[in-house]
Amino acid sequence: MPHDIPSAIDLRLMEDASKWASNAEQRPGRNAILDRLVEEAGRRAGPDPLILELGSGPGFLAHRMLKEIPQARYTALDFSPAMHALARARVKPFIDRITFLERSFKSDSWAEDLQPFDIVVTNQAVHELRHKRHAKALHQQVHGLLTQEGSYLVSDHFSGDGGLPDTELFMSADEQSNALSEAGFPSVTRIAAEGSLVLHLARKI
């Protein structure tokens, strides 16, 4: 059985969370992927969309989503109180439209008692499961949380040519597509690739 790969930092600590946030937007391709996430979510947003973000971190994506999709109600799920504190400051102009949930999506029960969502998004977070073998189970949980016509936008680092070297923590782009298909999504489309990040759209129909 493969072993999970420990993280070198503890994002529950404000020092580590702040350092991660200060470096994040400088990473190649990250801002372009965030823009595509917002664009794709906006294209699929109905009149009053309910959006869930997994691994919401310091609120970079939440701020963009709430600004560009003014009719959205947003739930930000992260295991780190420090990240939530950073996010609250960043999304202050939209604070009445966002709910913060302190939960770990590594837990088997993270999705309990949550209502169905029209859109689920995640950026640079799936690898925080700490081994790629866990991805399919996470995607299955998301599948169960989406409305019948819901959309799942998944961006993460990929391994292989042009990506990152760790093939246990990170999936190749094809492995990411396959994990979504195996989780029950009949429609999986690769939307974009920037830097070491790749963005997929998965739909239930």
Side-chain angles (χ1 to χ4, degrees), residues 33 37 122-126 153-157 197-200:
I33 286 289
L37 272 163
T122 183
N123 180 61
Q124 201 179 324
V126 172
L153 288 158
V154 188
S155 167
D156 201 16
H157 294 295
L197 293 165
V198 62
L199 171 63
H200 287 89

Side-chain angles (χ1 to χ4, degrees), residues 31 50 59 61-62 72 74-75 86 92 95 105-106 112-113 115 125 133 136 146 149 152 154 159-160 175 180 193 205:
N31 281 317
L50 299 177
L61 180 55
Y74 205 87
T75 298
L86 295 173
K92 189 175 181 180
I95 201 70
F105 59 66
K106 293 175 67 175
E112 289 182 3
D113 73 26
Q115 61 187 314
R133 73 182 188 279
K136 176 183 172 181
L146 282 168
E149 297 183 358
Y152 183 26
V154 188
S159 63
E175 286 176 321
L180 288 161
I205 59 173

Side-chain angles (χ1 to χ4, degrees), residues 163-181:
L164 300 181
D166 192 329
T167 58
E168 292 189 329
L169 192 60
F170 304 106
M171 294 180 282
S172 69
D174 286 342
E175 286 176 321
Q176 292 188 35
S177 298
N178 292 339
L180 288 161
S181 296

Side-chain angles (χ1 to χ4, degrees), residues 28-46:
R30 180 180 173 84
N31 281 317
I33 286 289
L34 290 177
D35 288 342
R36 286 302 303 273
L37 272 163
V38 175
E39 177 186 342
E40 295 295 333
R43 186 174 294 148
R44 289 161 178 80

Side-chain angles (χ1 to χ4, degrees), residues 41-115:
R43 186 174 294 148
R44 289 161 178 80
D48 297 293
L50 299 177
I51 301 176
L52 168 67
E53 181 182 357
L54 300 179
S56 51
F60 293 131
L61 180 55
H63 183 272
R64 283 172 162 87
M65 288 280 194
L66 290 163
K67 181 180 179 182
E68 298 300 328
I69 311 175
Q71 71 274 30
R73 303 289 301 183
Y74 205 87
T75 298
L77 186 149
D78 202 286
F79 81 121
S80 168
M83 284 295 194
H84 277 330
L86 295 173
R88 281 189 177 91
R90 182 164 281 106
V91 304
K92 189 175 181 180
F94 315 107
I95 201 70
D96 60 329
R97 293 194 286 124
I98 187 168
T99 299
F100 292 94
L101 280 182
E102 189 179 318
R103 297 184 186 180
S104 171
F105 59 66
K106 293 175 67 175
S107 165
D108 291 339
S109 60
W110 69 264
E112 289 182 3
D113 73 26
L114 295 183
Q115 61 187 314

